Amino acid sequence: MPKVVDHDERRAGFVLASWSVIAEEGLNAATLRRVAAAAGATTGALTHYFTDREALLVETLRSAHFEAGARMLRAASSAGAARDKLRAVILEALPLDDARLREWRVWLAFWGEAVGNPQLRKENEIRIAEWRDLIETLVAPLVGQPRAVEAAVSELLSLVDGIGLRLALAAPAEREDLRADAHSIVDRATARVA
Amino acid sequence: MPKVVDHDERRAGFVLASWSVIAEEGLNAATLRRVAAAAGATTGALTHYFTDREALLVETLRSAHFEAGARMLRAASSAGAARDKLRAVILEALPLDDARLREWRVWLAFWGEAVGNPQLRKENEIRIAEWRDLIETLVAPLVGQPRAVEAAVSELLSLVDGIGLRLALAAPAEREDLRADAHSIVDRATARVA
């Protein structure tokens, strides 16, 4: 009997391998050959699913965003009042544990590459717009005026990106202090939304 | 008579060429060969000054930080009261014009590469510490308690990184709105420092 291959699972395995290679060694290391090896497959098997490196990278970025988005929705649904939901989602977005720190390092690698790569930049703009919409949906019930919603959203998004970036680049010795700072910055910022 | 070469000028020319290549095409494009060509020189002439690509990249990062630092000090010295100095330096740090947007894209490329490169990460930590010290020096006169200084500094640094990152990644159509947002976020944040 021929071996049955679950194509979705196989594809997901390559995306996961790509993710791990980027998180450990940076985006440059994530060649088709290297990712195939990390997935225990041949380059030929990988190119059956992804025609080139860029296609693999775009799907890696997309799947990581979806996973982070799903986590945030779970965080929101387990929190109570509107302000608690907002706070829970923002904390979930930040690299406050080592798994999410790895995630942020991968975003960083992608953003760095997006500087010279229009396709990644475009993909990124779509993801950023989705993230903005999520925060706007959470902020709107707390704020009266539409212009005040915009201002609060813009400030919160800036804080999340800034805190995440600083944590992703911090020396290990400073990480715990920064994580404590992050909690109080988020507490103050969400308390100001009104 | 032999041609007189100003070695400092030659070296600075290579750094400038490296900077331009990174800003236009990303860090991957900045090979020794490509940078030498952009500077109108041979690869051999470039390797006389920089033994390898990493040495060139570290010096490019360092020189860009020094230039940005000098600009900020000028901005501070031309502002009046302590709060105005703080505000002027923060605005100077942000990509509110196209030259500084280019600069931010280069930071982004470096940060992305630093994920998998300990030498760039180390270099970056030194620069981040200098930037933190500058903001702390400007915040301290406005705030009584040392712990309140730390909290204000951490929030301001996060906002600068977040606003800069968002602007560097934004689609051109959204850039002007984001720049207006940036001004009001900075106004509110510096007004809160007390």
Side-chain angles (χ1 to χ4, degrees), chain A residues 132 154 157-158 161, chain B residues 161-170 178 185:
Chain A
R132 189 197 166 82
S154 198
L157 294 175
S158 298
D161 278 352
Chain B
D161 278 353
I163 296 169
L165 179 61
R166 290 175 67 218
L167 268 163
L169 291 172
L178 271 178
I185 292 173

Side-chain angles (χ1 to χ4, degrees), chain A residues 22-28 53 104-106 108-117 121 124-125 128 132 150-155 157-163 165-166 168-172 178 181-182 184-185 188-189 192, chain B residues 22-28 53 104-106 108-117 121 124-125 128 132 150-155 157-163 165-166 168-172 178 181-182 184-185 188-189 192:
Chain A
I22 299 166
E24 301 305 331
E25 299 163 53
L27 206 61
N28 286 342
R53 180 173 178 263
W104 265 89
R105 291 224 173 99
V106 177
L108 223 62
F110 272 112
W111 294 332
E113 179 98 353
V115 168
N117 184 327
R121 217 154 54 218
N124 217 22
E125 283 164 16
I128 288 174
R132 189 197 166 82
E150 290 306 298
V153 168
S154 198
E155 180 169 329
L157 294 175
S158 298
L159 277 174
V160 169
D161 278 352
I163 295 169
L165 178 62
R166 290 174 67 218
L169 292 172
L178 271 178
D181 280 0
S184 46
I185 292 174
R188 289 196 305 269
R192 280 198 301 268
Chain B
I22 299 166
E24 300 305 332
E25 299 162 55
L27 205 61
N28 285 343
R53 180 173 177 264
W104 266 88
R105 292 225 172 99
V106 177
L108 224 61
F110 272 112
W111 294 333
E113 178 98 353
V115 168
N117 183 326
R121 217 154 57 219
N124 217 21
E125 283 164 14
I128 288 174
R132 189 196 165 83
E150 290 305 299
V153 168
S154 198
E155 181 170 327
L157 294 175
S158 298
L159 278 174
V160 169
D161 278 353
I163 296 169
L165 179 61
R166 290 175 67 218
L169 291 172
L178 271 178
D181 280 0
S184 47
I185 292 173
R188 289 196 305 270
R192 280 197 301 270

Side-chain angles (χ1 to χ4, degrees), chain B residues 18-191:
Chain B
S18 158
W19 177 258
S20 294
V21 171
I22 299 166
E24 300 305 332
E25 299 162 55
L27 205 61
N28 285 343
T31 59
L32 289 178
R33 179 201 291 254
R34 181 87 183 69
V35 170
T42 62
T43 308
L46 172 56
T47 54
H48 182 71
Y49 294 90
F50 300 97
T51 48
D52 57 18
R53 180 173 177 264
E54 198 154 66
L56 174 65
L57 294 183
V58 165
E59 182 139 333
T60 304
L61 181 61
R62 201 173 285 171
S63 102
H65 262 284
F66 284 148
E67 204 189 296
R71 246 178 28 226
M72 286 170 204
L73 292 176
R74 281 198 299 277
S77 66
S78 63
R83 195 176 304 273
D84 296 333
K85 284 188 196 299
L86 174 64
R87 194 171 163 278
V89 167
I90 286 178
L91 290 175
E92 187 62 48
L94 291 171
L96 300 175
D97 63 26
D98 289 344
R100 284 176 286 157
L101 184 64
R102 239 166 88 101
E103 194 175 80
W104 266 88
R105 292 225 172 99
V106 177
W107 302 146
L108 224 61
F110 272 112
W111 294 333
E113 178 98 353
V115 168
N117 183 326
Q119 198 184 330
L120 282 186
R121 217 154 57 219
K122 189 78 211 143
E123 181 63 28
N124 217 21
E125 283 164 14
I126 298 169
R127 303 304 143 208
I128 288 174
E130 290 173 353
W131 162 233
R132 189 196 165 83
D133 285 349
L134 172 60
I135 294 297
E136 194 167 310
T137 305
L138 292 163
V139 165
L142 295 167
V143 181
Q145 280 201 318
R147 281 194 59 171
V149 174
E150 290 305 299
V153 168
S154 198
E155 181 170 327
L156 291 172
L157 294 175
S158 298
L159 278 174
V160 169
D161 278 353
I163 296 169
L165 179 61
R166 290 175 67 218
L167 268 163
L169 291 172
E174 295 173 19
R175 215 171 283 147
E176 279 320 304
D177 278 353
L178 271 178
R179 283 180 178 160
D181 280 0
H183 273 102
S184 47
I185 292 173
V186 171
D187 285 348
R188 289 196 305 270
T190 52

